[in-house]
Amino acid sequence: MKLGVSLYSFGGDLQTGAITTDEAIRYCAQIGAQGIELVAEQHLPNWPYTSTAELDHIKKLCKENSLEILCFSIYVNSMNRWDREATEEEYVEMIRRGAATAKYLGTGLFRPAYYGVPVDNLISLVKKCLTILEEYRVIWGVELHAPFPPAYYTEALEKVDSPWFRLIPDFSCWQTAGAAGHFQANPVETLDPLLKWTVHFHAKGHVIDENGEQPNTPYKAIFERMKEGGYKGSVVVENEGWIFNYKPCKDVVKKHFELIERYGA
């Protein structure tokens, strides 16, 4: 499997100006990451009007540092206008822009942050976007995140039934009850039936203890399930501790990456 870092993990430092996106990319290479995940609204200048020159700069920087762009993420915003929610047609155009940008950046994986509650809304939107995804040869990875139960998107994945619609589980689904945004402890075995759809993981974390572990998340057991299930996709560090208790991100990201290397290599 490929191991990397979501630049979301540097959120605190990026917001305070302690680090730039370019510096974060270079640092990922320094600690041994194979790739990165980009979030458009946080890491692309002037999104959604990022220029090709700005995209070329990021592509060049990744190439110079031997980094693959493992996933490209956007937020599918319902309130782009003050007076009404977005229409489904407007959502489709957001997906088109995101898929086209993912293709330009050279990645075949795209995570639109659209959770679809109820799930029928997601099914309808994805079906309308399948021709776009096929045109750009980009997979829509739906993120499975706490507090949703592990099986939440099974119905959507079965009904859409397309290789262009797959799953991105977040480790928060298997965190200890009481962890941020999590209300019940799901058995790690509930990951097993999801692996056939899974193309990417977000290795969520909030705190690293003195043993280099995330004490609220069964990292070892999750990676064991992946390996036993023959998983060959990617896993990226997604450290969120800066939201709750800000501290400089570099050392935390390094320790977090060492954790996924320990169990994923």
mmCIF file of all heavy atoms in Angstrom, residues 99-147:
data_model
loop_
_atom_site.group_PDB
_atom_site.id
_atom_site.type_symbol
_atom_site.label_atom_id
_atom_site.label_comp_id
_atom_site.label_asym_id
_atom_site.label_seq_id
_atom_site.Cartn_x
_atom_site.Cartn_y
_atom_site.Cartn_z
ATOM 1 N N ALA A 99 -13.501 17.203 -10.716
ATOM 2 C CA ALA A 99 -12.978 16.056 -11.468
ATOM 3 C C ALA A 99 -11.972 16.511 -12.519
ATOM 4 O O ALA A 99 -10.930 15.874 -12.719
ATOM 5 C CB ALA A 99 -14.132 15.301 -12.121
ATOM 6 N N ALA A 100 -12.269 17.619 -13.187
ATOM 7 C CA ALA A 100 -11.349 18.147 -14.196
ATOM 8 C C ALA A 100 -10.030 18.568 -13.562
ATOM 9 O O ALA A 100 -8.946 18.332 -14.130
ATOM 10 C CB ALA A 100 -11.984 19.330 -14.920
ATOM 11 N N THR A 101 -10.100 19.165 -12.373
ATOM 12 C CA THR A 101 -8.883 19.594 -11.685
ATOM 13 C C THR A 101 -8.072 18.392 -11.218
ATOM 14 O O THR A 101 -6.840 18.372 -11.341
ATOM 15 C CB THR A 101 -9.236 20.498 -10.491
ATOM 16 O OG1 THR A 101 -10.028 21.599 -10.947
ATOM 17 C CG2 THR A 101 -7.984 21.024 -9.811
ATOM 18 N N ALA A 102 -8.762 17.380 -10.692
ATOM 19 C CA ALA A 102 -8.062 16.154 -10.284
ATOM 20 C C ALA A 102 -7.312 15.553 -11.464
ATOM 21 O O ALA A 102 -6.141 15.166 -11.347
ATOM 22 C CB ALA A 102 -9.061 15.150 -9.710
ATOM 23 N N LYS A 103 -7.991 15.481 -12.608
ATOM 24 C CA LYS A 103 -7.360 14.938 -13.812
ATOM 25 C C LYS A 103 -6.134 15.769 -14.197
ATOM 26 O O LYS A 103 -5.071 15.216 -14.517
ATOM 27 C CB LYS A 103 -8.372 14.946 -14.955
ATOM 28 C CG LYS A 103 -7.825 14.504 -16.306
ATOM 29 C CD LYS A 103 -7.520 13.025 -16.323
ATOM 30 C CE LYS A 103 -7.157 12.566 -17.717
ATOM 31 N NZ LYS A 103 -6.854 11.119 -17.757
ATOM 32 N N TYR A 104 -6.264 17.091 -14.155
ATOM 33 C CA TYR A 104 -5.150 17.967 -14.532
ATOM 34 C C TYR A 104 -3.964 17.779 -13.590
ATOM 35 O O TYR A 104 -2.804 17.823 -14.016
ATOM 36 C CB TYR A 104 -5.603 19.425 -14.529
ATOM 37 C CG TYR A 104 -4.600 20.359 -15.163
ATOM 38 C CD1 TYR A 104 -4.597 20.573 -16.539
ATOM 39 C CD2 TYR A 104 -3.641 21.015 -14.395
ATOM 40 C CE1 TYR A 104 -3.661 21.413 -17.134
ATOM 41 C CE2 TYR A 104 -2.706 21.850 -14.976
ATOM 42 C CZ TYR A 104 -2.725 22.048 -16.349
ATOM 43 O OH TYR A 104 -1.786 22.876 -16.922
ATOM 44 N N LEU A 105 -4.265 17.569 -12.312
ATOM 45 C CA LEU A 105 -3.199 17.370 -11.326
ATOM 46 C C LEU A 105 -2.541 15.995 -11.446
ATOM 47 O O LEU A 105 -1.487 15.764 -10.859
ATOM 48 C CB LEU A 105 -3.751 17.555 -9.910
ATOM 49 C CG LEU A 105 -4.066 18.988 -9.492
ATOM 50 C CD1 LEU A 105 -4.880 19.004 -8.200
ATOM 51 C CD2 LEU A 105 -2.783 19.803 -9.325
ATOM 52 N N GLY A 106 -3.175 15.102 -12.186
ATOM 53 C CA GLY A 106 -2.574 13.802 -12.415
ATOM 54 C C GLY A 106 -2.997 12.717 -11.453
ATOM 55 O O GLY A 106 -2.333 11.672 -11.357
ATOM 56 N N THR A 107 -4.103 12.930 -10.741
ATOM 57 C CA THR A 107 -4.590 11.897 -9.838
ATOM 58 C C THR A 107 -5.884 11.310 -10.366
ATOM 59 O O THR A 107 -6.684 12.002 -10.999
ATOM 60 C CB THR A 107 -4.806 12.434 -8.412
ATOM 61 O OG1 THR A 107 -5.257 11.353 -7.576
ATOM 62 C CG2 THR A 107 -5.837 13.550 -8.363
ATOM 63 N N GLY A 108 -6.100 10.038 -10.097
ATOM 64 C CA GLY A 108 -7.325 9.375 -10.522
ATOM 65 C C GLY A 108 -8.339 9.254 -9.400
ATOM 66 O O GLY A 108 -9.349 8.563 -9.553
ATOM 67 N N LEU A 109 -8.102 9.946 -8.284
ATOM 68 C CA LEU A 109 -8.995 9.846 -7.127
ATOM 69 C C LEU A 109 -9.395 11.233 -6.646
ATOM 70 O O LEU A 109 -8.557 12.113 -6.455
ATOM 71 C CB LEU A 109 -8.314 9.079 -5.990
ATOM 72 C CG LEU A 109 -9.145 8.857 -4.724
ATOM 73 C CD1 LEU A 109 -10.427 8.081 -5.033
ATOM 74 C CD2 LEU A 109 -8.329 8.111 -3.674
ATOM 75 N N PHE A 110 -10.673 11.380 -6.410
ATOM 76 C CA PHE A 110 -11.291 12.670 -6.127
ATOM 77 C C PHE A 110 -12.274 12.473 -4.973
ATOM 78 O O PHE A 110 -13.105 11.558 -5.013
ATOM 79 C CB PHE A 110 -11.985 13.109 -7.420
ATOM 80 C CG PHE A 110 -12.954 14.236 -7.324
ATOM 81 C CD1 PHE A 110 -12.636 15.421 -6.700
ATOM 82 C CD2 PHE A 110 -14.197 14.118 -7.945
ATOM 83 C CE1 PHE A 110 -13.541 16.465 -6.659
ATOM 84 C CE2 PHE A 110 -15.098 15.150 -7.919
ATOM 85 C CZ PHE A 110 -14.771 16.332 -7.273
ATOM 86 N N ARG A 111 -12.138 13.280 -3.920
ATOM 87 C CA ARG A 111 -13.068 13.168 -2.794
ATOM 88 C C ARG A 111 -13.908 14.428 -2.668
ATOM 89 O O ARG A 111 -13.467 15.428 -2.111
ATOM 90 C CB ARG A 111 -12.335 12.929 -1.475
ATOM 91 C CG ARG A 111 -13.301 12.665 -0.313
ATOM 92 C CD ARG A 111 -12.884 13.310 0.992
ATOM 93 N NE ARG A 111 -12.869 14.755 0.941
ATOM 94 C CZ ARG A 111 -12.805 15.541 2.011
ATOM 95 N NH1 ARG A 111 -12.731 15.028 3.211
ATOM 96 N NH2 ARG A 111 -12.779 16.850 1.882
ATOM 97 N N PRO A 112 -15.133 14.402 -3.211
ATOM 98 C CA PRO A 112 -16.042 15.516 -2.956
ATOM 99 C C PRO A 112 -16.659 15.350 -1.565
ATOM 100 O O PRO A 112 -17.245 14.313 -1.272
ATOM 101 C CB PRO A 112 -17.111 15.373 -4.045
ATOM 102 C CG PRO A 112 -16.631 14.277 -4.955
ATOM 103 C CD PRO A 112 -15.715 13.432 -4.138
ATOM 104 N N ALA A 113 -16.512 16.339 -0.711
ATOM 105 C CA ALA A 113 -17.088 16.251 0.637
ATOM 106 C C ALA A 113 -18.579 16.562 0.550
ATOM 107 O O ALA A 113 -19.027 17.689 0.749
ATOM 108 C CB ALA A 113 -16.382 17.202 1.591
ATOM 109 N N TYR A 114 -19.324 15.545 0.203
ATOM 110 C CA TYR A 114 -20.790 15.623 0.087
ATOM 111 C C TYR A 114 -21.328 14.367 0.739
ATOM 112 O O TYR A 114 -21.155 13.263 0.215
ATOM 113 C CB TYR A 114 -21.204 15.695 -1.385
ATOM 114 C CG TYR A 114 -22.704 15.713 -1.592
ATOM 115 C CD1 TYR A 114 -23.417 16.913 -1.552
ATOM 116 C CD2 TYR A 114 -23.410 14.533 -1.840
ATOM 117 C CE1 TYR A 114 -24.793 16.930 -1.748
ATOM 118 C CE2 TYR A 114 -24.781 14.541 -2.029
ATOM 119 C CZ TYR A 114 -25.464 15.742 -1.987
ATOM 120 O OH TYR A 114 -26.824 15.756 -2.170
ATOM 121 N N TYR A 115 -21.962 14.513 1.889
ATOM 122 C CA TYR A 115 -22.282 13.343 2.688
ATOM 123 C C TYR A 115 -23.631 12.726 2.361
ATOM 124 O O TYR A 115 -23.897 11.598 2.696
ATOM 125 C CB TYR A 115 -22.160 13.675 4.173
ATOM 126 C CG TYR A 115 -20.730 13.960 4.555
ATOM 127 C CD1 TYR A 115 -20.298 15.256 4.803
ATOM 128 C CD2 TYR A 115 -19.798 12.937 4.600
ATOM 129 C CE1 TYR A 115 -18.966 15.511 5.120
ATOM 130 C CE2 TYR A 115 -18.472 13.185 4.910
ATOM 131 C CZ TYR A 115 -18.072 14.477 5.173
ATOM 132 O OH TYR A 115 -16.765 14.731 5.468
ATOM 133 N N GLY A 116 -24.511 13.456 1.713
ATOM 134 C CA GLY A 116 -25.752 12.858 1.246
ATOM 135 C C GLY A 116 -26.638 12.316 2.335
ATOM 136 O O GLY A 116 -26.735 11.120 2.533
ATOM 137 N N VAL A 117 -27.283 13.212 3.062
ATOM 138 C CA VAL A 117 -28.249 12.792 4.081
ATOM 139 C C VAL A 117 -29.610 13.345 3.646
ATOM 140 O O VAL A 117 -29.777 14.559 3.568
ATOM 141 C CB VAL A 117 -27.881 13.344 5.469
ATOM 142 C CG1 VAL A 117 -28.914 12.906 6.504
ATOM 143 C CG2 VAL A 117 -26.492 12.878 5.873
ATOM 144 N N PRO A 118 -30.571 12.491 3.261
ATOM 145 C CA PRO A 118 -30.506 11.028 3.257
ATOM 146 C C PRO A 118 -29.630 10.504 2.127
ATOM 147 O O PRO A 118 -29.321 11.230 1.181
ATOM 148 C CB PRO A 118 -31.966 10.618 3.070
ATOM 149 C CG PRO A 118 -32.559 11.745 2.292
ATOM 150 C CD PRO A 118 -31.887 12.984 2.805
ATOM 151 N N VAL A 119 -29.295 9.240 2.194
ATOM 152 C CA VAL A 119 -28.351 8.656 1.245
ATOM 153 C C VAL A 119 -28.905 8.650 -0.180
ATOM 154 O O VAL A 119 -28.146 8.644 -1.146
ATOM 155 C CB VAL A 119 -27.935 7.246 1.709
ATOM 156 C CG1 VAL A 119 -29.041 6.230 1.441
ATOM 157 C CG2 VAL A 119 -26.632 6.814 1.061
ATOM 158 N N ASP A 120 -30.238 8.702 -0.337
ATOM 159 C CA ASP A 120 -30.832 8.761 -1.673
ATOM 160 C C ASP A 120 -30.369 10.000 -2.438
ATOM 161 O O ASP A 120 -30.258 9.965 -3.672
ATOM 162 C CB ASP A 120 -32.356 8.746 -1.592
ATOM 163 C CG ASP A 120 -32.915 7.358 -1.271
ATOM 164 O OD1 ASP A 120 -32.147 6.376 -1.373
ATOM 165 O OD2 ASP A 120 -34.100 7.246 -0.916
ATOM 166 N N ASN A 121 -30.114 11.101 -1.726
ATOM 167 C CA ASN A 121 -29.610 12.306 -2.385
ATOM 168 C C ASN A 121 -28.244 12.048 -3.007
ATOM 169 O O ASN A 121 -27.943 12.515 -4.106
ATOM 170 C CB ASN A 121 -29.501 13.456 -1.386
ATOM 171 C CG ASN A 121 -30.855 13.956 -0.921
ATOM 172 O OD1 ASN A 121 -31.893 13.526 -1.418
ATOM 173 N ND2 ASN A 121 -30.858 14.852 0.042
ATOM 174 N N LEU A 122 -27.384 11.327 -2.272
ATOM 175 C CA LEU A 122 -26.060 10.991 -2.785
ATOM 176 C C LEU A 122 -26.180 10.087 -4.016
ATOM 177 O O LEU A 122 -25.510 10.316 -5.027
ATOM 178 C CB LEU A 122 -25.241 10.297 -1.699
ATOM 179 C CG LEU A 122 -23.874 9.753 -2.133
ATOM 180 C CD1 LEU A 122 -22.935 10.900 -2.504
ATOM 181 C CD2 LEU A 122 -23.257 8.899 -1.033
ATOM 182 N N ILE A 123 -27.028 9.074 -3.931
ATOM 183 C CA ILE A 123 -27.197 8.144 -5.046
ATOM 184 C C ILE A 123 -27.626 8.903 -6.302
ATOM 185 O O ILE A 123 -27.083 8.696 -7.394
ATOM 186 C CB ILE A 123 -28.223 7.048 -4.683
ATOM 187 C CG1 ILE A 123 -27.671 6.165 -3.554
ATOM 188 C CG2 ILE A 123 -28.577 6.201 -5.902
ATOM 189 C CD1 ILE A 123 -28.698 5.228 -2.937
ATOM 190 N N SER A 124 -28.590 9.802 -6.158
ATOM 191 C CA SER A 124 -29.075 10.577 -7.296
ATOM 192 C C SER A 124 -27.975 11.433 -7.906
ATOM 193 O O SER A 124 -27.797 11.467 -9.131
ATOM 194 C CB SER A 124 -30.243 11.471 -6.846
ATOM 195 O OG SER A 124 -30.653 12.326 -7.895
ATOM 196 N N LEU A 125 -27.201 12.113 -7.057
ATOM 197 C CA LEU A 125 -26.147 12.988 -7.569
ATOM 198 C C LEU A 125 -25.040 12.194 -8.250
ATOM 199 O O LEU A 125 -24.574 12.563 -9.342
ATOM 200 C CB LEU A 125 -25.577 13.840 -6.428
ATOM 201 C CG LEU A 125 -24.460 14.806 -6.823
ATOM 202 C CD1 LEU A 125 -24.923 15.781 -7.898
ATOM 203 C CD2 LEU A 125 -23.951 15.567 -5.589
ATOM 204 N N VAL A 126 -24.613 11.112 -7.629
ATOM 205 C CA VAL A 126 -23.529 10.316 -8.217
ATOM 206 C C VAL A 126 -23.948 9.772 -9.585
ATOM 207 O O VAL A 126 -23.178 9.818 -10.546
ATOM 208 C CB VAL A 126 -23.100 9.174 -7.281
ATOM 209 C CG1 VAL A 126 -22.079 8.275 -7.975
ATOM 210 C CG2 VAL A 126 -22.502 9.728 -6.000
ATOM 211 N N LYS A 127 -25.167 9.278 -9.694
ATOM 212 C CA LYS A 127 -25.634 8.740 -10.976
ATOM 213 C C LYS A 127 -25.616 9.814 -12.061
ATOM 214 O O LYS A 127 -25.280 9.540 -13.213
ATOM 215 C CB LYS A 127 -27.034 8.139 -10.823
ATOM 216 C CG LYS A 127 -27.032 6.794 -10.105
ATOM 217 C CD LYS A 127 -28.423 6.181 -10.048
ATOM 218 C CE LYS A 127 -28.383 4.774 -9.464
ATOM 219 N NZ LYS A 127 -29.725 4.152 -9.404
ATOM 220 N N LYS A 128 -25.964 11.053 -11.687
ATOM 221 C CA LYS A 128 -25.927 12.146 -12.658
ATOM 222 C C LYS A 128 -24.495 12.501 -13.064
ATOM 223 O O LYS A 128 -24.283 13.090 -14.126
ATOM 224 C CB LYS A 128 -26.607 13.384 -12.071
ATOM 225 C CG LYS A 128 -28.130 13.348 -12.104
ATOM 226 C CD LYS A 128 -28.713 14.642 -11.574
ATOM 227 C CE LYS A 128 -30.212 14.732 -11.890
ATOM 228 N NZ LYS A 128 -30.990 13.701 -11.219
ATOM 229 N N CYS A 129 -23.520 12.152 -12.229
ATOM 230 C CA CYS A 129 -22.128 12.530 -12.474
ATOM 231 C C CYS A 129 -21.283 11.409 -13.073
ATOM 232 O O CYS A 129 -20.101 11.632 -13.363
ATOM 233 C CB CYS A 129 -21.479 12.994 -11.158
ATOM 234 S SG CYS A 129 -22.173 14.531 -10.502
ATOM 235 N N LEU A 130 -21.839 10.232 -13.271
ATOM 236 C CA LEU A 130 -21.029 9.104 -13.730
ATOM 237 C C LEU A 130 -20.379 9.367 -15.084
ATOM 238 O O LEU A 130 -19.234 8.975 -15.316
ATOM 239 C CB LEU A 130 -21.879 7.830 -13.786
ATOM 240 C CG LEU A 130 -22.197 7.175 -12.433
ATOM 241 C CD1 LEU A 130 -23.114 5.977 -12.633
ATOM 242 C CD2 LEU A 130 -20.921 6.763 -11.706
ATOM 243 N N THR A 131 -21.095 10.029 -15.986
ATOM 244 C CA THR A 131 -20.485 10.305 -17.297
ATOM 245 C C THR A 131 -19.316 11.278 -17.163
ATOM 246 O O THR A 131 -18.332 11.185 -17.906
ATOM 247 C CB THR A 131 -21.527 10.872 -18.276
ATOM 248 O OG1 THR A 131 -22.137 12.039 -17.709
ATOM 249 C CG2 THR A 131 -22.602 9.835 -18.585
ATOM 250 N N ILE A 132 -19.407 12.208 -16.206
ATOM 251 C CA ILE A 132 -18.304 13.147 -15.951
ATOM 252 C C ILE A 132 -17.094 12.391 -15.426
ATOM 253 O O ILE A 132 -15.964 12.585 -15.885
ATOM 254 C CB ILE A 132 -18.745 14.226 -14.940
ATOM 255 C CG1 ILE A 132 -19.843 15.094 -15.524
ATOM 256 C CG2 ILE A 132 -17.552 15.074 -14.489
ATOM 257 C CD1 ILE A 132 -20.481 16.039 -14.517
ATOM 258 N N LEU A 133 -17.325 11.518 -14.454
ATOM 259 C CA LEU A 133 -16.232 10.753 -13.858
ATOM 260 C C LEU A 133 -15.555 9.869 -14.896
ATOM 261 O O LEU A 133 -14.324 9.777 -14.939
ATOM 262 C CB LEU A 133 -16.767 9.910 -12.699
ATOM 263 C CG LEU A 133 -17.435 10.690 -11.560
ATOM 264 C CD1 LEU A 133 -18.131 9.730 -10.594
ATOM 265 C CD2 LEU A 133 -16.428 11.551 -10.811
ATOM 266 N N GLU A 134 -16.355 9.253 -15.755
ATOM 267 C CA GLU A 134 -15.786 8.407 -16.796
ATOM 268 C C GLU A 134 -15.027 9.242 -17.825
ATOM 269 O O GLU A 134 -13.963 8.836 -18.306
ATOM 270 C CB GLU A 134 -16.884 7.599 -17.471
ATOM 271 C CG GLU A 134 -16.347 6.576 -18.453
ATOM 272 C CD GLU A 134 -17.404 5.597 -18.931
ATOM 273 O OE1 GLU A 134 -18.588 5.764 -18.581
ATOM 274 O OE2 GLU A 134 -17.029 4.652 -19.656
ATOM 275 N N GLU A 135 -15.559 10.428 -18.148
ATOM 276 C CA GLU A 135 -14.887 11.306 -19.104
ATOM 277 C C GLU A 135 -13.486 11.680 -18.628
ATOM 278 O O GLU A 135 -12.523 11.662 -19.405
ATOM 279 C CB GLU A 135 -15.716 12.574 -19.302
ATOM 280 C CG GLU A 135 -15.057 13.627 -20.182
ATOM 281 C CD GLU A 135 -15.824 14.935 -20.223
ATOM 282 O OE1 GLU A 135 -16.946 14.998 -19.673
ATOM 283 O OE2 GLU A 135 -15.293 15.910 -20.794
ATOM 284 N N TYR A 136 -13.371 12.002 -17.338
ATOM 285 C CA TYR A 136 -12.079 12.434 -16.801
ATOM 286 C C TYR A 136 -11.262 11.278 -16.221
ATOM 287 O O TYR A 136 -10.131 11.494 -15.778
ATOM 288 C CB TYR A 136 -12.292 13.532 -15.745
ATOM 289 C CG TYR A 136 -12.764 14.828 -16.343
ATOM 290 C CD1 TYR A 136 -14.085 15.248 -16.189
ATOM 291 C CD2 TYR A 136 -11.902 15.630 -17.081
ATOM 292 C CE1 TYR A 136 -14.531 16.443 -16.749
ATOM 293 C CE2 TYR A 136 -12.338 16.828 -17.644
ATOM 294 C CZ TYR A 136 -13.653 17.220 -17.476
ATOM 295 O OH TYR A 136 -14.091 18.406 -18.049
ATOM 296 N N ARG A 137 -11.863 10.078 -16.202
ATOM 297 C CA ARG A 137 -11.173 8.893 -15.669
ATOM 298 C C ARG A 137 -10.769 9.112 -14.208
ATOM 299 O O ARG A 137 -9.645 8.831 -13.793
ATOM 300 C CB ARG A 137 -9.934 8.541 -16.500
ATOM 301 C CG ARG A 137 -10.149 8.509 -17.999
ATOM 302 C CD ARG A 137 -11.087 7.420 -18.447
ATOM 303 N NE ARG A 137 -10.526 6.083 -18.271
ATOM 304 C CZ ARG A 137 -11.198 4.962 -18.559
ATOM 305 N NH1 ARG A 137 -12.457 5.022 -18.966
ATOM 306 N NH2 ARG A 137 -10.620 3.782 -18.369
ATOM 307 N N VAL A 138 -11.722 9.619 -13.440
ATOM 308 C CA VAL A 138 -11.485 9.959 -12.039
ATOM 309 C C VAL A 138 -12.545 9.270 -11.181
ATOM 310 O O VAL A 138 -13.737 9.337 -11.473
ATOM 311 C CB VAL A 138 -11.546 11.486 -11.824
ATOM 312 C CG1 VAL A 138 -11.528 11.836 -10.347
ATOM 313 C CG2 VAL A 138 -10.379 12.163 -12.537
ATOM 314 N N ILE A 139 -12.102 8.614 -10.118
ATOM 315 C CA ILE A 139 -13.010 7.943 -9.183
ATOM 316 C C ILE A 139 -13.513 8.931 -8.137
ATOM 317 O O ILE A 139 -12.741 9.699 -7.560
ATOM 318 C CB ILE A 139 -12.287 6.777 -8.480
ATOM 319 C CG1 ILE A 139 -11.947 5.674 -9.475
ATOM 320 C CG2 ILE A 139 -13.116 6.221 -7.325
ATOM 321 C CD1 ILE A 139 -11.020 4.611 -8.914
ATOM 322 N N TRP A 140 -14.817 8.910 -7.884
ATOM 323 C CA TRP A 140 -15.414 9.642 -6.758
ATOM 324 C C TRP A 140 -15.283 8.745 -5.539
ATOM 325 O O TRP A 140 -15.883 7.684 -5.460
ATOM 326 C CB TRP A 140 -16.874 9.943 -7.054
ATOM 327 C CG TRP A 140 -17.680 10.582 -5.948
ATOM 328 C CD1 TRP A 140 -17.540 10.419 -4.600
ATOM 329 C CD2 TRP A 140 -18.783 11.482 -6.123
ATOM 330 N NE1 TRP A 140 -18.474 11.146 -3.907
ATOM 331 C CE2 TRP A 140 -19.260 11.817 -4.826
ATOM 332 C CE3 TRP A 140 -19.418 12.024 -7.232
ATOM 333 C CZ2 TRP A 140 -20.336 12.678 -4.623
ATOM 334 C CZ3 TRP A 140 -20.495 12.878 -7.027
ATOM 335 C CH2 TRP A 140 -20.944 13.206 -5.743
ATOM 336 N N GLY A 141 -14.484 9.154 -4.567
ATOM 337 C CA GLY A 141 -14.365 8.427 -3.309
ATOM 338 C C GLY A 141 -15.212 9.105 -2.252
ATOM 339 O O GLY A 141 -14.934 10.241 -1.870
ATOM 340 N N VAL A 142 -16.258 8.420 -1.796
ATOM 341 C CA VAL A 142 -17.112 8.998 -0.757
ATOM 342 C C VAL A 142 -16.477 8.703 0.598
ATOM 343 O O VAL A 142 -16.088 7.569 0.887
ATOM 344 C CB VAL A 142 -18.554 8.456 -0.842
ATOM 345 C CG1 VAL A 142 -18.627 6.953 -0.643
ATOM 346 C CG2 VAL A 142 -19.451 9.166 0.172
ATOM 347 N N GLU A 143 -16.348 9.731 1.423
ATOM 348 C CA GLU A 143 -15.685 9.559 2.718
ATOM 349 C C GLU A 143 -16.663 9.059 3.773
ATOM 350 O O GLU A 143 -17.686 9.693 4.041
ATOM 351 C CB GLU A 143 -15.054 10.865 3.188
ATOM 352 C CG GLU A 143 -14.303 10.683 4.502
ATOM 353 C CD GLU A 143 -13.639 11.955 5.007
ATOM 354 O OE1 GLU A 143 -14.032 13.047 4.569
ATOM 355 O OE2 GLU A 143 -12.728 11.836 5.837
ATOM 356 N N LEU A 144 -16.319 7.920 4.358
ATOM 357 C CA LEU A 144 -17.078 7.349 5.474
ATOM 358 C C LEU A 144 -16.444 7.842 6.764
ATOM 359 O O LEU A 144 -15.298 7.518 7.060
ATOM 360 C CB LEU A 144 -17.029 5.826 5.408
ATOM 361 C CG LEU A 144 -17.619 5.075 6.595
ATOM 362 C CD1 LEU A 144 -19.121 5.305 6.678
ATOM 363 C CD2 LEU A 144 -17.301 3.587 6.487
ATOM 364 N N HIS A 145 -17.179 8.637 7.527
ATOM 365 C CA HIS A 145 -16.618 9.341 8.680
ATOM 366 C C HIS A 145 -17.575 9.226 9.849
ATOM 367 O O HIS A 145 -18.798 9.228 9.670
ATOM 368 C CB HIS A 145 -16.423 10.814 8.291
ATOM 369 C CG HIS A 145 -15.545 11.601 9.203
ATOM 370 N ND1 HIS A 145 -15.912 11.935 10.485
ATOM 371 C CD2 HIS A 145 -14.321 12.146 9.002
ATOM 372 C CE1 HIS A 145 -14.946 12.654 11.047
ATOM 373 N NE2 HIS A 145 -13.969 12.790 10.165
ATOM 374 N N ALA A 146 -17.038 9.135 11.073
ATOM 375 C CA ALA A 146 -17.882 9.211 12.263
ATOM 376 C C ALA A 146 -18.674 10.516 12.221
ATOM 377 O O ALA A 146 -18.162 11.524 11.733
ATOM 378 C CB ALA A 146 -17.016 9.161 13.524
ATOM 379 N N PRO A 147 -19.911 10.530 12.716
ATOM 380 C CA PRO A 147 -20.595 9.474 13.486
ATOM 381 C C PRO A 147 -21.365 8.459 12.651
ATOM 382 O O PRO A 147 -22.089 7.649 13.208
ATOM 383 C CB PRO A 147 -21.546 10.274 14.363
ATOM 384 C CG PRO A 147 -21.946 11.428 13.492
ATOM 385 C CD PRO A 147 -20.693 11.792 12.729
#
